[in-house]
């Protein structure tokens, strides 16, 4: 499909009221703007994991050596302090959060909006009402090879079939692009929800999982193909596919909002975001949603959820690009917020991200 480039002339820029002229667009705007209050931080819950994956972000850098604090009252105190400074949403990660269910419980008791990044091998108790992002890196053969886990997809489905908390996150590497069709078919057969991630290399990683221009283009095409084939189960949009498979990474396209790349503490994530390690300390100089990722290669879905959604002002120069941004935000909320249902995408055109040619 041909990329439609925007005409970026001030004289053609519509008024905001003109962007909302279509009923479906105005309704979507009103739907998503109710969640502008969300303010996130992330928390490493455990420095242990029950599998070991090639290219794992957690076992890069210094955070893996932080002491693990398992005191539930210490975590309760942290959650209350976070709420007091304005945090409304928590992302619990690790290594593997399912290994410390008592800490997940206390976080949920104190901060009811959030999500957990898990490998899905051990089921998280239903008392923890967060969204669960279950990482999938290919079929069972691939998982055994790069994650050292046997029958992983089968176990993930057994644990989370028909669980409204669960979203399966398929991470595209350079090696597993085509096998997504097999994996998606199996997940959809069990009525699971699916979204997509793009492998973003940790600092210093030079292995075979790292993308090149050809693999990014193939990834984009197959993302859109599956979105068309399974519109009820695939939580994604055409603009998500474009933004996360562009030759430029998210920082170069949009400018990363997280403290590691954003020195400003005046407003937004640069002021509010913290990435806590397992010892309950944090370091502003390395704080971002997926620490120790090579920023130039970052196309991570978690990063985009903040970096793209924060750039509303860049997406108001045409009705189509505004619709694309709304599709992106609608996707992000359906993946990350319990009870939020994704609507039908508003724009099926492949549009170049604003300012992509000049950044």
């Amino acid at each position: 499909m041909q990329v439609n480039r925007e005409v970026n002339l001030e004289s053609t820029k519509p008024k905001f009221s003109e962007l909302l002229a279509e009923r479906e667009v105005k309704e979507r705007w009103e739907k998503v703007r109710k969640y502008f209050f969300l303010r996130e931080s992330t928390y490493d819950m455990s420095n242990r994991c029950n599998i070991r994956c090639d290219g794992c972000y957690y076992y890069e850098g210094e955070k893996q050596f932080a002491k693990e604090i398992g005191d539930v009252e210490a975590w309760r105190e942290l959650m209350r302090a976070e709420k007091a400074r304005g945090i409304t949403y928590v992302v619990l990660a690790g290594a593997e959060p399912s290994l410390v269910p008592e800490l997940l419980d206390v976080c949920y008791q104190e901060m009811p909006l959030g999500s957990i990044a898990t490998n899905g091998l051990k089921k998280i108790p239903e008392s923890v009402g967060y969204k669960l992002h279950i990482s999938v890196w290919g079929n069972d053969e691939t998982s055994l090879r790069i994650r050292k886990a046997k029958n992983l997809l089968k176990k993930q489905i057994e644990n989370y079939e028909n669980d409204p908390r669960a979203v399966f996150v398929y991470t595209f590497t350079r090696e597993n692009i085509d096998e997504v069709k097999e994996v998606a078919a199996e997940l959809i057969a069990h009525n699971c929800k699916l979204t997509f991630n793009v492998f973003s290399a940790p600092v210093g990683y030079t292995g075979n999982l790292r993308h090149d221009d050809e693999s990014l283009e193939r990834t984009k095409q197959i993302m859109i193909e599956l979105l068309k084939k399974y519109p009820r189960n695939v939580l994604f949009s055409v603009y998500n596919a474009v933004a996360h498979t562009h030759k430029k990474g998210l920082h170069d396209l949009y400018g990363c909002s997280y403290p590691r790349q954003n020195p400003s503490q005046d407003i937004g994530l640069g002021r509010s975001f913290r990435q806590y390690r397992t010892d309950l300390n944090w370091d502003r100089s390395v704080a971002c949603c997926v620490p120790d990722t090579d920023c130039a290669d970052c196309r991570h879905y978690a990063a985009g959820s903040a970096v793209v959604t924060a750039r509303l002002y860049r997406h108001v120069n045409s009705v189509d690009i505004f619709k694309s941004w709304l599709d992106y935000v609608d996707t992000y909320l359906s993946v990350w917020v319990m009870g939020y249902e994704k609507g039908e995408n508003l724009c099926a055109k492949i549009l170049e991200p604003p300012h992509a040619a000049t950044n």
Side-chain angles (χ1 to χ4, degrees):
M1 297 177 72
Q2 185 175 3
V3 171
N4 300 310
R5 294 188 180 278
E6 283 195 290
V7 178
N8 189 19
L9 299 175
E10 190 65 25
S11 60
T12 64
K13 182 178 178 179
K15 297 178 181 176
F16 199 72
S17 59
E18 293 172 330
L19 295 175
L20 302 179
E22 295 180 34
R23 178 178 58 81
E24 293 83 1
V25 177
K26 185 174 183 179
E27 288 178 353
R28 188 64 51 82
W29 165 253
E30 296 296 338
K31 181 184 177 187
V32 304
R33 69 184 298 206
K34 295 176 183 175
Y35 293 86
F36 285 1
F37 70 92
L38 295 175
R39 296 287 181 275
E40 65 158 306
S41 276
T42 69
Y43 310 82
D44 289 341
M45 307 303 295
S46 170
N47 56 23
R48 294 166 286 141
C49 190
N50 45 5
I51 58 176
R52 188 59 62 94
C53 308
D54 186 18
C56 175
Y57 308 97
Y58 185 78
Y59 292 107
E60 296 291 338
E62 296 297 317
K63 59 187 178 301
Q64 61 182 303
F65 303 112
K67 179 183 177 183
E68 188 172 311
I69 303 293
D71 182 349
V72 295
E73 293 308 315
W75 279 92
R76 189 186 306 280
E77 183 178 344
L78 174 64
M79 288 295 112
R80 289 177 176 174
E82 290 290 274
K83 191 187 301 182
R85 72 179 185 89
I87 297 302
T88 57
Y89 188 97
V90 295
V91 180
L92 310 185
E96 178 48 47
S98 66
L99 301 182
V100 287
E102 68 283 5
L103 300 185
L104 306 182
D105 259 326
V106 78
C107 290
Y108 181 65
Q109 291 167 14
E110 299 297 331
M111 197 83 79
L113 285 174
S115 56
I116 300 173
T118 176
N119 59 40
L121 198 57
K122 180 182 178 183
K123 186 167 184 176
I124 292 172
E126 294 179 0
S127 58
V128 181
Y130 290 138
K131 275 287 189 182
L132 305 180
H133 293 180
I134 301 156
S135 61
V136 181
W137 287 50
N139 60 23
D140 278 342
E141 182 180 345
T142 296
S143 291
L144 180 59
R145 179 167 52 84
I146 67 172
R147 308 186 77 179
K148 317 298 184 292
K150 191 176 181 180
N151 298 322
L152 182 56
L153 185 62
K154 179 182 178 183
K155 293 175 183 174
Q156 291 170 324
I157 293 173
E158 287 175 354
N159 282 337
Y160 292 110
E161 183 177 9
N162 296 318
D163 191 326
R165 302 174 300 171
V167 178
F168 289 75
V169 182
Y170 189 93
T171 293
F172 283 93
T173 71
R174 198 172 69 204
E175 294 188 330
N176 70 359
I177 298 170
D178 293 328
E179 66 191 71
V180 70
K181 294 182 180 179
E182 166 194 345
V183 172
E186 186 166 356
L187 289 171
I188 275 63
H190 291 273
N191 199 30
C192 299
K193 299 292 185 183
L194 173 65
T195 194
F196 300 132
N197 184 32
V198 175
F199 179 77
S200 306
V203 174
Y205 178 84
T206 57
N208 294 334
L209 306 182
R210 190 173 192 131
H211 281 280
D212 56 24
D213 290 350
E214 186 274 337
S215 68
L216 288 171
E217 178 61 26
R218 283 203 296 131
T219 297
K220 180 178 71 178
Q221 296 300 333
I222 207 164
M223 284 174 167
I224 295 172
E225 178 184 333
L226 292 174
L227 174 61
K228 291 178 179 177
K229 187 173 183 178
Y230 305 115
R232 292 184 58 187
N233 291 73
V234 173
L235 305 176
F236 219 59
S237 75
V238 171
Y239 193 56
N240 282 73
V242 172
H244 288 270
T245 61
H246 200 278
K247 291 181 180 180
K248 294 182 177 179
L250 291 169
H251 178 55
D252 286 339
L253 280 177
Y254 301 98
C256 184
S257 308
Y258 289 99
R260 185 177 167 203
Q261 283 287 354
N262 176 15
S264 174
Q265 299 186 47
D266 295 335
I267 193 171
L269 289 175
R271 182 176 64 183
S272 63
F273 180 85
R274 295 178 181 177
Q275 192 272 316
Y276 285 90
R277 298 178 176 180
T278 52
D279 60 3
L280 309 189
N281 290 308
W282 73 288
D283 179 351
R284 191 178 195 286
S285 67
V286 295
C288 74
C289 60
V290 191
D292 295 297
T293 298
D294 179 352
C295 292
D297 195 54
C298 181
R299 298 176 178 83
H300 204 284
Y301 81 111
S305 67
V307 173
V308 181
T309 57
R311 299 295 182 244
L312 165 62
Y313 69 92
R314 292 194 184 188
H315 295 83
V316 295
N317 287 337
S318 79
V319 173
D320 280 340
I321 199 65
F322 182 61
K323 288 180 178 177
S324 296
W325 181 83
L326 284 173
D327 287 341
Y328 192 101
V329 180
D330 194 46
T331 298
Y332 143 65
L333 290 170
S334 68
V335 170
W336 293 84
V337 177
M338 277 297 294
Y340 185 95
E341 296 294 330
K342 181 161 173 37
E344 185 175 343
N345 285 319
L346 299 171
C347 184
K349 298 178 182 177
I350 296 179
L351 299 176
E352 187 82 344
H355 304 175
T358 56
N359 285 342

